[in-house]
Amino acid sequence: MLLEPHIAAGIDEIFKAALEDGRTVLHEHEVYRMLGYIGLETPGYCVVKSEKEVNGELIQRFHGKMVVKVVSRDLVHKQKLGGVKILETSDPMYVRYVMYAMKKEIFSHFQEDKRPRIDGYMIVDYISFKQGLGYEILFGAREDLSFGPVLTLSKGGDDAEFFAKYYDPANLYLSPLSPEETALSMQGIRIRHKYAQIGRAFYIDRIAGTLLKISDLMQTYSFISPGKTKYHIKALDINPVVFTTDDRFIVVDGYADFEAVQEDEAAAKTDAAGLTGFFKPNGIAVVGVSRQAEKYSMGRSIARLMMEMGREDLYLVNTKGGATVISDREYPLYRNISEIPSNIDLYVYTAPAKYLLDFIAQVQPDKCVILISGVPSETKYAEFLTLLNAAKKPGVRIVGPNCMGVFHAPGKSGEGVDTLFIDSERMPIKWGGRSNTVLFSQSGAMAITSLDSLHSYGLFRAIISFGNRADVGIPELMAYFENEKDADIIAMYMEGLSRGEGRQFFDQAKTSGKPILVFKSGRTEAGVQAAASHTAAMSGSYEVFKAACSQAGVVLIEEIDEFYDAIRAFSLLWKKRVRGNRVAGVVNAGFESTAGADNLGFLQPAKYTDATVEKLYTLNTHGLVNVPAPFLDVTPMTDDALFEQFLIALMEDDNVDCVFAAVIPHVENLLTTDDVCERPGSIAMRIINVFRKYEKPMVVSVNAGQQFDKFVRVMEEAGVPVFKDIRSATRELERFVKYRMEKGSGTLRKG
């Protein structure tokens, strides 16, 4: 929430005075004043411009023990340069001497012409506190250009950066935080166990309250703030806030960097209006279609794909006019879009980039445009955006430029869309009743590899490659597909986020009722970077992204193969019923049983009912099964029918919530070779029957080479989630079950 107007007015005066003094960094006593306005306790202090102002009456305020700090607009790490001294004295002459010596020591570190300005000295109450872990807390915050305010909570003190880098990374949270979220966030703070042990459990409430107040401060002074503000806080570092020997929670040190707001700094807004034409258009025009069939033309390829989608409302444009034949059908070629005799919802531009802006200027209001072509080579991208926005009419929505565009599977009442310009003979796109996933990708190549990796299943309801995003991007697509009933799963590949786009993504994800699976590149270049000037920026942008995903309940995946696996699991298991995390498995090799048990994570081994144990002993005809272990090693002696019976026994046990099956298909007892794997009694068909019959989530592992591709494909085409090894299978089962059990619980996850 935002600060009360009278509180914000007081803080505004602090910023105004600093600007008039030529500063965008607050002095420490100004930080004290600001924090006092939001209700944090700070030490008593006084500020003098020179040592000559120190007298006995002033010193008496500090009861014989004080901290003297230099005040300088040019210094951040004052203590390292000798700018902080602890004194135990009541002699004003000694204090003046210390100030004089302090200035001399600081100047000794600089050449004469580069000496920092000394604006004065601050005398502060000495705060007594214990030195043990947990008594010093660092609260930091910074304005991330993509996400807005990001809060930092970690161990405080001089070694805070070292501790965060090598021992325990800082906890990150995106503002704003509600009181409920803030209280829940404390469940992930490990130091709470120590507080409880020493009889100070209320310390964690003090930390939560402070975090909430800082959240409100940062939210008020941010570019994402819904209220108007004259200033933005770029960085805030309160290091440390300490628990005193008499149980107060008090600020000891503070740093703040701010800026005046420019008139054009409004936060970006998510605009999902007018997107239907990309996915359910009435009338499609492809611009840039060659007349010559023998000449490769991206426009011709897209036209052919649209025809295969059953489109009868297709119109082709070539500036020379005439006609052309595509797939034995003749089409007239319109010289420009104004000649097209019918209403058009969607334009697909594949002509040279140098004509792109002229084309956009011709598009009528409230239309959808896919710009397959890139940016004109002679134009910088920022300049191109300016020209594009000036040329387009109101309500025109754009996907691209430099993209593959849109695939949307046909619905029950209309044709689909396909501009991905990959010939169906090279990569046919399957869709059907289980196509419930949408994929947003900044990279066209990533979209194609995702299709290829999951080809057998036909999972994708829609794929959108948006390239250099001039208009429509991930937040808009999230908002649109949130309301599409045929889209159960949202998957996305990200490369970069523009100003404010991260916040839009976070806000959409936080309120989404659908699972969001994300793979993001660029982890290493945005890793942890210790701040050169202060500790408020102990995390790079990828850490902020991770925190945003965790807080919003997004499933963030850091390996590309795992991303494909997660799509497979979530898409195919989504309609299964998740009652708990008790897992059991059937395998025909001891290694699979052990490896599965070692990779359960959130899952817990099931304990069978007595009836199931009795049933398993009855099925164990060859005496080699490790009954009643939760992961049954049925050995290579078990045939197709018996393997199925073991699976059914686990599925029908009320103490089992989910199941995995691991098959080593090489053994002779199983019908897994190409000539027999499709028979009604084969293990593939039996697994399919079990998967379809029962509501419990089930995954399958097949650890084998290419000679068993058909065996795997039979199960894939039937909608069974099959993985290449037991680790992948159990990992994705765990990921899915954990998501279904945690989503909606209101838990604010630790970043």
Side-chain angles (χ1 to χ4, degrees), residues 244-402:
T244 65
T245 52
D246 58 352
D247 290 332
R248 292 183 298 159
F249 196 41
I250 187 166
V251 173
V252 172
D253 200 354
Y255 168 94
D257 184 8
F258 72 100
E259 64 182 359
V261 174
Q262 303 299 318
E263 290 296 326
D264 60 348
E265 289 187 351
K269 302 294 183 183
T270 301
D271 181 7
L275 302 190
T276 302
F278 288 112
F279 312 110
K280 301 172 184 178
N282 292 313
I284 300 176
V286 182
V287 180
V289 178
S290 171
R291 288 186 297 177
Q292 302 173 2
E294 67 278 4
K295 179 181 178 181
Y296 173 74
S297 164
M298 191 177 294
R300 292 182 67 88
S301 296
I302 291 173
R304 189 179 301 110
L305 292 171
M306 294 291 194
M307 293 173 65
E308 292 174 3
M309 283 285 193
R311 306 285 331 186
E312 296 292 335
D313 54 350
L314 183 63
Y315 302 88
L316 310 183
V317 178
N318 182 305
T319 56
K320 295 180 181 180
T324 191
V325 175
I326 299 179
S327 298
D328 298 326
R329 179 171 177 176
E330 184 174 81
Y331 284 90
L333 293 172
Y334 299 97
R335 287 175 294 182
N336 56 64
I337 60 176
S338 64
E339 289 186 359
I340 298 174
S342 298
N343 183 53
I344 298 295
D345 284 342
L346 176 62
Y347 294 92
V348 184
Y349 185 83
T350 68
K354 62 182 179 180
Y355 304 122
L356 189 155
L357 293 171
D358 292 336
F359 160 75
I360 285 291
Q362 299 174 38
V363 177
Q364 294 302 305
D366 302 319
K367 302 299 182 182
C368 292
V369 179
I370 298 174
L371 298 179
I372 304 293
S373 305
V375 177
S377 58
E378 68 278 5
T379 308
K380 293 183 179 179
Y381 188 67
E383 179 186 356
F384 168 77
L385 287 181
T386 301
L387 295 172
L388 183 71
N389 289 325
K392 71 176 184 177
K393 294 180 175 66
V396 172
R397 303 310 306 265
I398 296 173
V399 166
N402 190 27

Side-chain angles (χ1 to χ4, degrees), residues 26-28 31-32 35 69 237-239 251-256:
L26 297 185
H27 289 317
E28 191 170 347
V31 176
Y32 280 4
L35 298 180
K69 301 183 180 183
D237 182 15
I238 313 172
N239 182 22
V251 173
V252 172
D253 200 354
Y255 168 94

